[in-house]
């Protein structure tokens, strides 16, 4: 805490996180940095895994939760405070990476030089780019180039150049896409003179400065390390060392040690063109060859004389104990650790190249303050003035307090400082002895009455209370100084200061999505340890106690209501794998509900839902994430036994264009030879065109509906634009309701984005063909939940209904009106798209065309007296109920029948599987993929090694146990990374049965094992309690006993 008091200067604070692919050395590097502060021994660095405080993290050997620790570093006469956050590398825990990145100003991206840029490396680079933080590169595991790949110094140099090019190429893609998006937003509508001109995207790239964007050792933002051996260096280290020997300025060597430069031995001058002239580059000659020589002497040849010579020439002070150690790795770490110390190299790059909290850019401030549908200019003046408080990052008492809490951190009371054991004074020892004597006498007196367990029960109660799980808010203070006991506002994610008069009056009632809290305690995270403090200044990462009742996952704390809620974090994965939970004993249901609430609060990406059937469903990002959540729920939160269902995998339902060939690739001669319709669909309701007519219950309204598959480009565009469609829906709802009309507004940025979406949809429809012309202006609604990738289209000739885009044009442009019960049609469409007819799963990529909506009574229908009645809301009521409800039911049923009138298909969620393996295990790997219905997309050999990169697709439904089976079949030589990719249509018709002679010959009479879609559909229907068409007894024959046969 003395450190915080002495470092109120925000220029000396660095908030950084370590990002990498799994097993690339993040935690080992963090151990080396922790050891530099004397918290752990340098010998234990890389073995202790200090920041992996969970038991399952130590067992699995991977990081699952982001951890923070405050480190002190002195350089150039200044003391720096480095808040280090170690984040997971496994794809299932990418949400923890997002929570860590949001609190930081810089990042260390660690890359294994042997494996190069992996999928998760690209993911974390993209997340860092979206958050606007500055990364530095750590090329780790350099020792693998020497010991495993057996590269020469020249080959290693070429390999390092390739790795750098891979990283910079991906960074260039991020930069280019951002510039093109910004240029598109600035682009004005072309005039008639410019209509024939082609827009030049390169103009935006030429005007943007990207000089400090890429990674390059001469810029000082790249270091080379071997965390397991405890050494690391940057170009500047060798530049200072050789500047004295060669008589060349260190600044010149820093620019030439990396690159195509060589040294002329005669003139002692540096020239360019080493590759063209066949000379060794300076990096090979002065850096890599010396490093290779040390490894050759210590690890390969174990030449004691040469080792002594190296130690003497480098002027190192290595103890005799380390030099005589039988383990060559210990001798190597002792030599290289003194020659090229790892922690100073990393921390020197951190304090010199990564920004301090006071150097936050205005662009990032606006990005944090503005959500997707908000612009900074739309905020009131009092809110815009807070931008200066962000930029100043002032710890003064008069500065507004602004804190962002990225997650809630579970912590047992036993880990809090007040419950830790401390040295006792003599008075306390004497008092403890007296208490023990009294308890002993009481126990002797109660032995005759068999009550000797009373004292033990009292002590057990105290222990239980101390083991209760509390939640600490894990966040960062951006402005002001927070004190213990201070009162602050808790601003939930939906809070918007633009909708209320900003008056910080304590007597005034709090607006919606705002609550008031009192800070109970403040903490600094020190890995496994937590230290208490009375105040924390701006720029620091901290923990806050007492916010369990106010924050669920993340929120903003502020001393003023003018502060907006921070924008949502960018999560790279979505929870897609679900299980249903129930307690073994019904009396433990309350404990399960409480445990699920705590788990939902502790994990940023977990989702807990209560189904209509009463099931409690837990959703996770992947199999490993789900197993960890269940383990936490059982051991820490609910502490009860649970019954866990098989993993629930979501599916989607869709329609496709009628196929032209059957299952044996025979051309279908006519429509009658296909069996594509469900057996429960009445033939009288469908027409030859595929449209379906349906009547309401009282026979007064007729609906004619046709289902069509949406073009793939339209479906993908609607999937990506769900947030924009949500803004459009909220705006339309606000315009219909007079009470909320003043509260719901759209800024110019959102309106322009919606108009751009409309234009993109029109372009995609035009690409699909003439049948989709002018469809954009006939969109009635989106679904499900008014934001999904399904469309309701207006095909009624005599109904000029305003489309969904009319609200963007204002009241002056709307000339058409809606019919009565228009909302009932939309409600029925929403119900149909939320649960399809195959297995009650949501629809995906389906357009429903409403061709006819006819009101009136057909001839011969006798009306009842109740048919002419009116309900209180103006809805006509008949003996069958309100007409609005009848229309909803008819529309829902009509959409379901229209979908079944077309070739209906299931869509499966697909994982992208990235595997690195050697050639000798490829056959076993492909066997496992084939067994689980996966398919290989690409197979590339890593240049300079025997490793292959295999990219494949595998259904999520087949992925459970896949990673374990891969490791078992390949003896641990391959480990897959699974990331959700897309939804894919299963080509099998779920209602298909062999009908032709060729199909019966090829598939047999039942063909159950071949129909994957029916297998998935029946499994989902059986889980939901729906009817499943199956034969329980295939051959019903009576068994005869031996006695009857005699």
């Amino acid at each position: 805490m003395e450190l915080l008091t002495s470092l109120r200067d925000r220029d000396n604070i660095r908030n950084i996180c370590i990002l990498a692919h799994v097993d690339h050395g993040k935690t080992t590097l963090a151990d080396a940095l922790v050891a530099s502060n004397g918290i752990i021994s340098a010998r234990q660095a890389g073995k202790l895994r200090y920041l992996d405080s969970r038991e399952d993290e130590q067992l699995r050997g991977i990081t699952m939760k982001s951890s923070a620790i405050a480190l002190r570093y002195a350089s150039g006469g200044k003391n720096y405070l480095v808040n280090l956050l170690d984040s997971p590398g496994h794809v299932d825990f990418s949400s923890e990476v997002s929570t860590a990145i949001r609190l930081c100003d810089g990042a260390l991206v660690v890359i294994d030089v042997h494996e190069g840029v992996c999928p998760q490396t690209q993911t974390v680079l993209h997340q860092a780019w979206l958050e606007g933080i500055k990364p530095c590169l750590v090329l780790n595991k350099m020792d693998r180039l020497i010991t495993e790949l057996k590269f020469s110094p020249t080959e290693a140099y070429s390999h390092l150049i390739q790795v750098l090019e891979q990283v910079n190429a991906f960074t260039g893609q991020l930069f280019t896409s951002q510039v093109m998006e910004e240029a598109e937003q600035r682009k004005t509508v072309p005039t008639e003179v410019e209509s024939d001109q082609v827009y030049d995207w390169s103009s935006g790239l030429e005007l943007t400065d990207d000089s400090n964007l890429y990674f390059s050792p001469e810029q000082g933002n790249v270091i080379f390390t071997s965390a397991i051996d405890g050494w690391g260096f940057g170009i500047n280290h060798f530049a200072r060392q050789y500047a004295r020997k060669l008589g060349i300025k260190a600044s010149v060597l820093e620019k030439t040690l990396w690159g195509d430069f060589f040294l002329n031995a005669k003139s002692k001058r540096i020239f360019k063109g080493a590759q063209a002239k066949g000379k060794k580059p300076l990096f090979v000659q002065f850096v890599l060859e010396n490093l290779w020589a040390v490894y050759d002497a210590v690890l390969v040849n174990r030449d004691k004389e040469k080792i002594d010579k190296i130690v003497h020439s480098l002027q190192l002070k290595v103890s005799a104990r380390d030099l005589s150690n039988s383990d060559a790795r210990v001798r190597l770490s002792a030599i290289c650790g003194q020659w090229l110390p790892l922690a100073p190299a990393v921390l020197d790059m951190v304090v010199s190249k990564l920004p301090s909290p006071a150097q936050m850019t205005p662009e990032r401030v606006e990005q944090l303050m503005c959500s997707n549908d908000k612009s900074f200019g739309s905020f009131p003046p009092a809110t815009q003035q807070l931008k200066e408080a962000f930029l100043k990052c002032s710890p003064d008492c008069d500065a507004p307090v602004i804190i962002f809490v990225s997650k809630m951190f579970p912590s047992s009371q036993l880990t809090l400082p007040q419950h830790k054991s401390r040295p006792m004074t003599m008075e306390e020892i004497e008092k403890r002895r007296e208490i023990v004597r009294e308890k002993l006498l009481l126990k002797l007196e109660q032995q005759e009455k068999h009550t000797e367990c009373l004292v033990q029960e009292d002590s057990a109660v105290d222990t239980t209370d101390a083991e209760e799980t509390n939640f600490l808010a894990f966040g960062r203070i951006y402005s002001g100084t927070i004190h213990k006991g201070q009162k602050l506002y808790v601003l939930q994610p939906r809070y918007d200061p633009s909708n209320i008069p900003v008056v910080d009056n304590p007597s005034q009632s709090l607006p919606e999505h705002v609550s008031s809290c009192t800070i109970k305690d403040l903490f600094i995270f020190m890995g496994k340890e937590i230290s208490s403090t009375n105040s924390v200044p701006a720029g620091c990462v901290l923990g806050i106690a007492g916010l369990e009742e106010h924050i669920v996952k993340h929120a903003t704390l502020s001393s003023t209501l003018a502060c907006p809620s921070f924008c949502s974090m960018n999560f790279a994965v979505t929870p897609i794998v679900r299980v249903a939970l129930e307690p073994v004993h019904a009396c433990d249901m309350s404990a399960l509900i409480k445990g699920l609430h705590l788990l939902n609060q502790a994990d940023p990406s977990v989702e807990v839902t209560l189904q209509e059937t009463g099931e409690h469903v837990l959703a996770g990002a992947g199999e490993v994430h789900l197993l960890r959540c269940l383990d936490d729920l059982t051991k820490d939160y609910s502490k009860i036994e649970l019954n866990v269902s098989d993993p629930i995998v979501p599916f989607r339902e869709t329609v496709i264009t009628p196929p032209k060939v059957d299952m044996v690739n025979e051309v279908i001669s006519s429509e009658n030879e296909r069996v594509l319709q469900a057996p429960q669909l009445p033939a009288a309701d469908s027409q030859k065109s595929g449209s379906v007519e349906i009547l309401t219950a009282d026979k007064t309204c007729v609906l004619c509906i046709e289902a069509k598959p949406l073009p793939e480009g339209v479906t993908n565009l609607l999937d990506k634009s769900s947030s924009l469609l949500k803004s459009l829906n909220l705006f339309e709802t606000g315009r219909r309701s007079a009470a909320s009309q003043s509260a719901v507004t759209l800024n110019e940025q959102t309106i322009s984005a919606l108009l751009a979406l409309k234009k993109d949809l029109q372009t995609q429809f035009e690409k699909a063909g003439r049948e989709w012309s002018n469809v954009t202006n006939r969109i009635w609604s989106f679904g499900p939940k008014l934001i999904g990738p399904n469309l309701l289209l207006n095909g009624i000739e005599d109904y000029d209904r305003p489309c969904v885009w009319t609200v963007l044009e204002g009241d002056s442009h709307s000339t058409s009106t809606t019919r009565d019960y228009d909302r009932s049609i939309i409600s029925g469409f929403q119900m149909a798209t939320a649960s399809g007819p195959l297995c009650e799963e949501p629809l995906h990529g389906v357009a429903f065309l409403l061709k006819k909506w006819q009101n009136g009574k057909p001839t011969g229908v006798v009306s009842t007296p109740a048919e002419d009645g009116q309900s209180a809301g103006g809805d006509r009521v008949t003996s069958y109920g309100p007409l609005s409800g009848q229309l909803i039911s008819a529309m829902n049923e009509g959409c379901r029948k229209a979908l079944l009138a077309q070739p209906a298909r299931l869509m499966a969620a697909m994982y992208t599987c990235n595997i690195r393996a050697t050639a000798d295990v490829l056959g076993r790997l492909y066997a496992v993929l084939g067994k689980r219905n996966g398919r290989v997309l690409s197979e590339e050999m890593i240049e300079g090694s025997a490793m292959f990169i295999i990219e494949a697709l595998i259904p999520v439904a087949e992925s459970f146990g896949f990673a374990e089976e891969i490791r078992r079949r390949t003896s641990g030589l391959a480990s897959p990374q699974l990331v959700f990719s897309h939804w894919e249509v299963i080509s099998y018709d779920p209602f298909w049965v062999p009908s032709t002679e060729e199909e019966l010959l090829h598939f047999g009479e039942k063909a159950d094992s071949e129909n994957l879609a029916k297998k998935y559909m029946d499994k989902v229907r059986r889980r939901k309690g729906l009817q499943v068409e199956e034969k329980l007894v295939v051959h019903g024959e009576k068994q005869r006993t031996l006695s009857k046969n005699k």
Side-chain angles (χ1 to χ4, degrees):
M1 296 311 98
E2 298 175 357
L3 182 63
L4 285 176
T5 307
S6 61
L7 288 176
R8 294 182 64 86
D9 185 5
R10 57 206 182 277
D11 293 325
N12 293 340
I13 299 176
R14 298 293 185 272
N15 298 314
I16 64 169
C17 56
I18 304 180
L19 310 175
H21 188 78
V22 65
D23 291 335
H24 276 206
K26 300 179 305 301
T27 307
T28 306
L29 177 63
D31 274 4
L33 300 181
V34 172
S36 67
N37 275 231
I39 300 175
I40 63 174
S41 169
R43 291 178 179 270
Q44 293 296 321
K47 303 173 184 177
L48 188 61
R49 301 178 65 89
Y50 180 76
L51 294 182
D52 286 351
S53 55
R54 294 171 54 96
E55 182 181 355
D56 49 0
E57 288 179 327
Q58 295 286 347
L59 290 175
R60 285 182 176 267
I62 60 174
T63 304
M64 298 182 181
K65 285 281 188 180
S66 54
S67 304
I69 189 169
L71 303 176
R72 189 173 183 174
Y73 179 64
S75 176
K78 295 182 180 180
N79 290 327
Y80 293 92
L81 174 67
V82 179
N83 293 310
L84 178 68
L85 278 71
D86 183 25
S87 62
H90 197 282
V91 65
D92 283 5
F93 307 103
S94 294
S95 59
E96 293 286 336
V97 179
S98 302
T99 59
I101 289 178
R102 171 55 63 88
L103 305 182
C104 297
D105 301 301
L108 295 176
V109 180
V110 183
I111 294 180
D112 183 349
V113 294
H114 181 204
E115 297 185 2
V117 178
C118 295
Q120 191 64 11
T121 310
Q122 298 180 352
T123 301
V124 297
L125 279 171
H126 189 218
Q127 287 179 285
W129 181 273
L130 292 177
E131 288 290 343
I133 68 173
K134 184 177 181 180
C136 284
L137 195 62
V138 179
L139 296 179
N140 194 27
K141 300 191 179 183
M142 289 280 293
D143 57 292
R144 298 186 69 182
L145 303 181
I146 308 173
T147 58
E148 294 183 22
L149 297 181
K150 309 293 184 182
F151 280 170
S152 66
T154 305
E155 293 172 340
Y157 175 67
S158 301
H159 183 75
L160 291 174
I161 291 178
Q162 292 178 3
V163 174
L164 269 176
E165 288 177 349
Q166 292 175 8
V167 183
N168 288 331
F170 184 76
T171 306
Q173 292 178 11
L174 298 175
F175 168 71
T176 305
S177 61
Q178 180 182 0
V179 171
M180 292 172 65
E181 288 177 3
E182 293 176 353
E184 184 179 9
Q185 293 177 1
R186 292 193 302 266
K187 185 177 63 172
T188 57
V189 180
T191 59
E192 295 181 359
V193 180
E194 299 173 345
S195 59
D196 295 335
Q197 297 179 0
V198 179
Y199 183 76
D200 186 13
W201 293 106
S202 62
S203 59
L205 297 174
E206 294 173 356
L207 298 175
T208 309
D209 181 23
D210 61 343
S211 57
N212 298 322
L213 179 67
Y214 300 104
F215 300 101
S216 181
E218 62 265 23
Q219 292 184 6
N221 58 2
V222 178
I223 61 170
F224 307 88
T225 67
S226 174
I228 194 66
D229 290 335
W231 59 264
F233 63 89
I235 291 295
N236 55 353
H237 176 86
F238 282 96
R240 291 192 299 266
Q241 181 178 347
Y242 284 106
R244 297 188 297 269
K245 294 182 179 181
L246 301 177
I248 303 175
K249 293 182 179 180
S251 59
V252 176
L253 285 175
E254 286 181 3
K255 297 179 180 179
T256 56
L257 266 179
W258 179 267
D260 194 25
F261 298 95
F262 70 97
L263 177 68
N264 190 318
K266 295 182 180 179
S267 61
K268 290 189 176 181
R269 295 179 60 187
I270 297 175
F271 296 94
K272 194 172 184 179
Q275 184 177 2
K277 297 182 180 180
K279 302 289 185 178
K280 290 181 180 178
L282 291 179
F283 190 75
V284 175
Q285 182 179 359
F286 293 122
V287 179
L288 294 184
E289 286 187 348
N290 292 330
L291 194 59
W292 258 243
V294 172
Y295 268 80
D296 182 69
V298 179
L299 280 185
V300 181
N301 296 326
R302 305 194 178 189
D303 190 340
K304 190 175 184 303
E305 294 182 0
K306 196 170 183 180
I307 293 174
D308 294 337
K309 184 177 180 181
I310 290 174
V311 172
H312 178 72
S313 62
L314 295 176
Q315 299 178 359
L316 305 178
K317 296 181 180 180
V318 184
S319 64
R321 176 185 175 185
D322 291 335
L323 287 177
S324 59
N325 197 299
S326 59
D327 189 354
R329 282 284 181 179
V330 175
R331 296 199 301 269
L332 181 67
S333 299
I335 295 173
C336 292
Q338 289 192 30
W339 176 36
L340 305 170
L342 175 60
V346 175
L347 294 176
D348 186 61
M349 179 178 67
V350 167
V351 300
S352 61
K353 296 300 177 181
L354 296 182
S356 68
Q359 295 173 327
M360 183 179 291
T361 61
E363 291 79 12
R364 192 181 181 211
V365 172
E366 294 185 8
Q367 179 183 353
L368 291 175
M369 296 177 68
C370 304
S371 58
N372 294 332
D373 56 348
K374 281 288 181 182
S375 63
F376 185 74
S378 63
F379 286 124
T383 303
Q384 296 188 28
Q385 291 175 3
L386 291 178
K387 181 178 178 180
E388 297 298 325
F390 274 94
L391 296 176
K392 290 180 181 179
C393 192
S394 174
D396 298 337
C397 295
D398 57 345
V401 178
I402 302 174
I403 303 171
F404 179 72
V405 175
S406 65
K407 70 172 183 175
M408 299 299 290
F409 189 86
S411 177
S412 173
Q413 287 193 7
L414 295 175
T415 61
L416 299 180
Q418 56 265 32
H419 292 283
K420 291 183 180 178
S421 59
R422 57 180 178 83
M424 299 178 64
T425 61
M426 292 303 297
E427 293 81 3
E428 292 174 337
I429 294 175
E430 189 63 30
K431 186 176 180 180
R432 179 67 64 85
R433 288 175 180 171
E434 196 66 30
I435 294 174
V436 171
R437 290 193 194 101
E438 292 178 358
K439 289 185 177 180
L440 183 59
L441 291 175
L442 181 63
K443 182 178 180 180
L444 292 174
E445 292 176 359
Q446 293 176 345
Q447 276 182 347
E448 298 177 358
K449 300 178 181 180
H450 304 284
T451 57
E452 63 273 7
C453 61
L454 182 62
V455 178
Q456 298 178 1
E457 291 178 357
D458 293 340
S459 61
V461 173
D462 295 336
T463 305
T464 304
D465 293 340
E467 290 180 353
E468 276 189 22
T469 301
N470 288 343
F471 281 93
L472 304 181
F474 185 61
R476 170 185 168 179
I477 178 168
Y478 288 86
S479 174
T481 300
I482 184 173
H483 301 274
K484 189 184 299 185
Q486 187 177 4
K487 290 188 177 181
L488 295 174
Y489 295 112
V490 181
L491 312 177
Q492 300 299 335
R494 297 182 63 181
Y495 171 71
D496 186 1
S498 304
N499 299 332
I500 62 168
V502 181
V503 179
D504 296 326
N505 187 0
S507 61
Q508 185 182 6
S509 61
L510 295 176
E512 192 179 6
H513 308 303
V514 177
S515 60
S516 179
C517 69
T518 301
I519 305 302
K520 292 183 179 179
D521 207 347
L522 298 173
F523 301 97
I524 297 298
F525 294 109
M526 301 291 292
K528 298 178 182 179
E529 306 295 329
I530 300 176
S531 302
S532 179
T533 181
N534 292 323
S535 64
V536 179
C540 293
V541 177
L542 76 161
I544 308 173
L547 299 179
E548 301 97 329
E549 302 297 329
H550 302 277
I551 301 177
V552 178
K553 290 184 180 291
H554 59 89
T556 306
L557 304 182
S558 181
S559 58
T560 172
L561 288 174
C563 180
S565 179
F566 279 38
C567 67
S568 300
M569 291 175 287
N570 300 295
F571 291 129
V573 294
T574 55
I576 193 172
V577 182
R578 302 173 294 170
V579 291
L581 306 175
E582 65 177 8
V584 174
H585 305 289
C587 59
D588 294 331
M589 180 59 73
S590 59
L592 172 62
I593 295 174
K594 180 182 177 182
L596 288 173
H597 174 74
L598 295 176
L599 177 63
N600 184 52
Q601 197 170 18
D603 197 295
S605 65
V606 75
E607 286 185 2
V608 178
T609 55
L610 178 62
Q611 301 285 0
E612 296 178 356
T613 57
E615 287 182 314
H616 290 85
V617 176
L618 178 67
E623 186 180 6
V624 180
H625 180 225
L626 195 61
L627 290 176
R628 195 212 65 193
C629 290
L630 292 173
D631 188 61
D632 289 348
L633 185 63
T634 306
K635 295 181 179 178
D636 298 332
Y637 300 134
S638 64
K639 298 181 180 178
I640 60 173
E641 296 181 10
L642 297 174
N643 288 329
V644 183
S645 71
D646 292 334
I648 303 171
V649 180
F651 289 90
R652 295 291 184 267
E653 301 180 21
T654 188
V655 294
I656 62 172
T657 55
K660 297 181 179 179
V661 295
D662 59 10
M663 295 296 291
V664 290
N665 291 331
E666 294 288 338
V667 177
I668 299 174
S669 57
S670 65
E671 293 289 327
N672 297 329
E673 295 182 6
R674 297 191 286 117
V675 181
L676 289 172
Q677 298 174 349
Q680 64 265 33
L681 178 64
D685 288 351
S686 62
Q687 302 174 358
K688 293 183 178 180
S689 61
S691 58
V692 171
E693 281 193 1
I694 191 166
L695 299 173
T696 55
D698 60 359
K699 306 295 190 294
T700 59
C701 294
V702 182
L703 301 177
C704 182
I705 309 167
E706 181 183 357
K708 292 182 178 181
L710 275 176
E712 185 178 357
V714 175
T715 306
N716 296 334
L717 187 59
L718 292 176
D719 256 339
K720 298 176 184 177
S721 309
S722 58
S723 59
L724 281 175
L725 297 178
K726 185 176 182 180
S727 301
L728 178 65
N729 176 44
L730 291 175
F731 180 59
E732 183 182 3
T733 306
R735 285 172 60 87
R736 289 198 311 269
S737 176
S740 61
Q741 187 172 359
S742 59
V744 181
T745 57
L746 288 180
N747 55 51
E748 295 181 359
Q749 181 181 1
T750 307
I751 292 176
S752 61
L754 286 169
L755 293 176
L757 172 62
K758 178 184 177 182
K759 184 178 179 181
D760 293 340
L761 281 174
Q762 189 172 355
T763 303
Q764 293 294 336
F765 278 126
E766 290 174 354
K767 291 181 180 178
R770 296 180 59 184
E771 60 175 329
W772 296 99
S773 60
N774 199 26
V775 168
T776 311
N777 295 323
R778 292 189 291 149
I779 297 177
W780 198 326
S781 178
F782 303 94
K785 299 180 181 179
L786 300 172
I787 57 173
N790 303 286
L791 296 181
L792 175 61
L793 304 177
N794 182 14
I796 306 172
E797 297 180 357
D798 58 345
Y799 183 26
D800 185 17
R801 184 194 186 278
C803 66
V804 293
W805 315 106
T806 308
V807 293
L808 301 177
E809 302 173 358
D811 295 333
S812 59
H813 294 83
S814 58
T815 58
S816 55
T817 58
T818 59
R819 286 185 185 180
D820 295 336
Y821 306 108
D822 184 88
R823 300 301 304 174
S824 299
I825 298 294
I826 296 178
S827 299
F829 166 72
Q830 299 301 325
M831 292 176 62
T833 53
S835 58
L838 298 183
C839 52
E840 303 296 333
E841 291 289 305
L843 303 187
H844 188 90
V846 182
F848 291 100
L849 180 63
L850 184 58
K851 293 183 174 181
K852 184 170 63 173
W853 177 12
Q854 182 179 351
N855 293 322
K857 299 179 182 178
T859 305
V861 177
V862 180
S863 62
T864 62
E867 287 181 314
D868 298 328
Q870 294 286 334
S871 67
D875 193 1
R876 191 174 64 186
V877 181
T878 67
S879 58
Y880 296 95
L883 184 59
S884 59
Q886 296 181 49
L887 274 174
I888 292 174
S889 300
M891 186 65 189
N892 179 20
E893 188 65 23
C895 289
R896 294 167 68 94
K897 289 185 176 181
L899 186 135
L900 290 173
Q902 302 292 335
R905 295 291 186 270
L906 273 184
M907 297 185 74
M910 302 296 291
Y911 273 145
T912 298
C913 176
N914 189 281
I915 311 174
R916 292 169 181 260
T918 55
D920 52 343
V921 299
L922 285 182
R924 286 172 278 174
L925 190 149
Y926 289 157
V928 176
L929 280 172
K931 172 186 174 183
R932 294 177 176 266
N933 299 314
R935 67 176 187 274
V936 178
L937 299 180
S938 64
E939 174 190 316
E940 296 181 2
M941 186 174 185
I942 302 177
E943 188 174 352
S945 68
M947 298 289 292
F948 285 83
I949 302 177
I950 297 96
E951 187 173 353
L953 286 177
I954 180 173
V956 176
E958 305 286 348
S959 65
F960 302 102
F962 173 69
E964 183 180 353
E965 185 177 3
I966 284 285
R967 284 191 290 268
R968 185 176 67 251
R969 293 288 299 274
T970 61
S971 303
L973 296 177
S975 182
Q977 281 276 76
L978 301 175
V979 184
F980 175 71
S981 175
H982 64 283
W983 297 95
E984 186 173 288
V985 177
I986 302 176
S987 58
Y988 293 99
D989 182 359
F991 299 112
W992 174 81
V993 290
S995 58
T996 63
E997 192 175 320
E998 292 81 4
E999 289 175 345
L1000 288 170
L1001 181 63
H1002 189 273
F1003 295 102
E1005 185 178 350
K1006 294 189 299 179
D1008 291 340
S1009 60
E1010 301 292 339
N1011 198 336
L1012 189 64
K1014 180 174 175 56
K1015 168 187 162 186
Y1016 289 152
M1017 183 183 72
D1018 289 347
K1019 186 176 181 181
V1020 175
R1021 292 183 68 91
R1022 195 176 291 111
R1023 176 177 59 82
K1024 293 183 177 182
L1026 303 174
Q1027 180 183 0
V1028 178
E1029 294 185 3
E1030 58 181 349
K1031 290 183 179 180
L1032 297 180
V1033 178
V1034 180
H1035 301 289
E1037 296 181 357
K1038 184 177 179 181
Q1039 182 180 3
R1040 295 186 177 182
T1041 60
L1042 294 176
S1043 59
K1044 288 186 177 181
N1045 290 332
K1046 291 181 181 179

